[in-house]
Amino acid sequence: MRGWGMWLFCFICMSLAAKHVLAEEDRPSVTFISPEGIQFISYSELWSRERLEELYQPLLLCEHGEELAVLERVILYPEKSRGLYGPRIGNYNERERTIRLFEVDALPVERTFIHEYGHHFTYYWLKKQEGIYPPELKETNVWSKLRGLGGYPIRWAGSPLPDVHKWDPGEIMAEDYVLLFGTGALKPPDRPEELINYLRHENEYIPPVGLLPAVREYWEKAAGLTHKTPLREPEVKELRIVEQENGAVLQVEFQAVREEAKTDPVRYAVHSVAFGGDETMPVSIKGALCAENGETARCELEWPEGIGRKDTAYMHLAIWAYDETERLLVQSPLYANWYEADNLSGRLSDIPPPGRSRAFFMYFEKKGWCAGRWFICLSTANSEGLRNSGRKRMERCGFP
């Protein structure tokens, strides 16, 4: 009887799968086939064959190897979809070697498409390099060590941690691909200010992949890609508040991201978020009037008068740099460049991330409350020189 039950279950599953395929095949569709044989299929009335061909072109501008030729299909749907982590706008199926994009009539698809291609790239080459797929990754694997994820709440294979999209190593890999090898597919920023939100990694609590040359080299060697020298971290060298005729400005001097100056300039952008020592809302300050001078670069931002109602405020400074010729992008880490500001004297002091500021928590609630708590605890632990296990750090932060 048990065998009959299993047979019936399999029959139902196969019937549902066949019904799904038939429903797909019965729908009106448009197809474009690339020279490599990749089928771009649209079930949307708004996506013509010409638009599918336009979607294919950015893919060629990404850095890729032989894995491009084994991608089989890219399917576009106008409907919504749900996956493991809830609503989704993209999906990669390794067994079918197929990318699916959803809500294509309502949402931009290029960024999602490159992310999903990042799954295809990393699934293919991780299997070649280490004999496993991303869901099988453990903290001891070569890529894991190069990526510097020890001690973070990554959901490695066999981990009891909950499913959170940004902490899935496969999702981190796909986002890494976008930032390392996918910038050529995206329209470069027209103005320096656009750098601030030009291309962001989903998980900014971990080390920025652009600052890890060994990770880029790992994929370059695997896929036979042309080697590029990564940009350096735009490390802050000097920071001061200067009173001028039209008000105070924040002058930021930081390390230039290229070791050797070239004729084509690097674009820089600086973003500061200041938190009052009370419950007042954060103040966002953006600056892009940056000038590179040999080993250093400089930028000025307007500095608001006293932040909050207390004498002390906190500030975080983020710096982006973009080399348009090489299509390389780098940013300062989220856990770096935290300062305490004295509202009376204007003096700035370098500090660990301030975990007690209510405004600080409000800021991170928008990014993911639990991740914010983890980040504060992890940064504080590191600043105290502690080297506890991830579980102990979670317990100190109040996680169950």
Side-chain angles (χ1 to χ4, degrees):
M1 189 71 181
R2 185 177 178 181
W4 276 103
M6 181 60 69
W7 181 88
L8 180 61
F9 174 76
C10 293
F11 175 78
I12 293 173
C13 289
M14 289 187 292
S15 298
L16 290 173
K19 182 179 179 181
H20 174 72
V21 172
L22 287 172
E24 245 185 25
E25 292 178 349
D26 287 345
R27 298 171 63 181
S29 64
V30 176
T31 301
F32 161 74
I33 301 178
S34 76
E36 299 86 1
I38 306 169
Q39 296 183 60
F40 286 74
I41 304 169
S42 166
Y43 291 107
S44 164
E45 294 181 356
L46 301 183
W47 280 80
S48 63
R49 185 184 183 282
E50 289 71 26
R51 284 195 71 185
L52 292 177
E53 187 171 359
E54 289 175 4
L55 182 63
Y56 162 69
Q57 294 304 321
L59 189 57
L60 299 180
L61 299 176
C62 294
E63 297 180 59
H64 54 76
E66 66 185 34
E67 85 289 339
L68 176 63
V70 301
L71 180 64
E72 294 188 7
R73 297 186 299 172
V74 178
I75 308 176
L76 283 69
Y77 302 89
E79 299 88 3
K80 295 182 178 180
S81 178
R82 293 187 65 85
L84 176 64
Y85 302 106
R88 62 182 179 179
I89 55 177
N91 170 256
Y92 174 69
N93 186 305
E94 190 277 329
R95 282 178 293 183
E96 299 176 358
R97 289 182 171 170
T98 296
I99 292 172
R100 290 179 168 86
L101 303 173
F102 306 99
E103 298 186 65
V104 297
D105 292 352
L107 301 173
V109 301
E110 288 79 7
R111 172 66 166 80
T112 304
F113 179 35
I114 302 308
H115 171 93
E116 298 304 331
Y117 186 79
H119 282 302
H120 175 68
F121 178 94
T122 53
Y123 264 80
Y124 185 88
W125 291 113
L126 185 67
K127 184 68 173 178
K128 294 271 189 180
Q129 287 289 93
E130 305 195 40
I132 59 173
Y133 290 120
E136 303 171 88
L137 275 167
K138 296 183 178 180
E139 195 170 353
T140 53
N141 284 106
V142 175
W143 175 86
S144 309
K145 293 178 179 179
L146 295 176
R147 191 60 181 85
L149 298 176
Y152 287 90
I154 306 298
R155 197 174 189 280
W156 304 111
S159 170
L161 293 174
D163 289 316
V164 180
H165 195 267
K166 69 175 62 179
W167 295 110
D168 184 310
E171 299 301 332
I172 292 173
M173 276 187 165
E175 284 290 277
D176 286 354
Y177 177 85
V178 177
L179 271 73
L180 291 175
F181 307 113
T183 53
L186 304 174
K187 182 179 179 294
D190 292 326
R191 295 176 292 111
E193 304 89 54
E194 295 177 3
L195 268 179
I196 292 172
N197 291 306
Y198 170 58
L199 203 55
R200 305 285 291 266
H201 198 289
E202 181 191 17
N203 192 333
E204 293 187 341
Y205 303 108
I206 60 178
V209 69
L211 299 180
L212 301 172
V215 175
R216 181 181 178 90
E217 188 175 349
Y218 174 90
W219 296 117
E220 284 177 343
K221 289 183 177 179
L225 305 180
T226 301
H227 174 68
K228 292 183 180 179
T229 302
L231 303 176
R232 299 185 299 182
E233 178 181 346
E235 182 181 351
V236 174
K237 297 297 184 182
E238 190 171 353
L239 189 69
R240 55 185 175 272
I241 299 174
V242 179
E243 291 291 340
Q244 295 184 350
E245 187 175 337
N246 296 326
V249 297
L250 178 67
Q251 293 184 348
V252 186
E253 187 171 315
F254 49 92
Q255 177 178 255
V257 295
R258 287 192 301 207
E259 295 185 10
E260 297 181 2
K262 297 182 181 179
T263 54
D264 51 313
V266 170
R267 296 185 183 183
Y268 292 98
V270 178
H271 183 210
S272 172
V273 178
F275 307 87
D278 45 37
E279 297 183 11
T280 54
M281 291 300 293
V283 178
S284 177
I285 316 162
K286 298 179 182 179
L289 299 176
C290 300
E292 190 174 13
N293 182 21
E295 283 293 311
T296 61
R298 179 176 295 181
C299 186
E300 286 191 355
L301 298 82
E302 293 183 6
W303 183 252
E305 296 183 4
I307 302 169
R309 295 185 295 272
K310 294 188 177 181
D311 294 341
T312 302
Y314 305 104
M315 181 187 72
H316 177 246
L317 196 69
I319 304 172
W320 283 265
Y322 179 65
D323 184 333
E324 188 169 349
T325 302
E326 294 289 339
R327 293 295 180 94
L328 294 172
L329 179 72
V330 72
Q331 72 180 84
S332 56
L334 180 62
Y335 46 78
N337 304 335
W338 290 89
Y339 303 94
E340 183 177 86
D342 188 320
N343 280 336
L344 299 178
S345 66
R347 187 176 65 253
L348 295 165
S349 305
D350 191 5
I351 60 168
R356 291 178 294 177
S357 170
R358 287 286 302 277
F360 179 87
F361 278 99
M362 291 164 63
Y363 178 68
F364 278 102
E365 281 176 358
K366 297 179 181 179
K367 293 177 173 289
W369 178 75
C370 290
R373 286 174 66 195
W374 171 268
F375 162 69
I376 295 166
C377 182
L378 179 63
S379 301
T380 304
N382 285 341
S383 70
E384 295 170 355
L386 301 178
R387 291 295 180 268
N388 296 329
S389 68
R391 171 53 59 185
K392 288 182 179 179
R393 284 173 179 161
M394 293 181 75
E395 290 172 354
R396 288 182 61 203
C397 288
F399 285 87

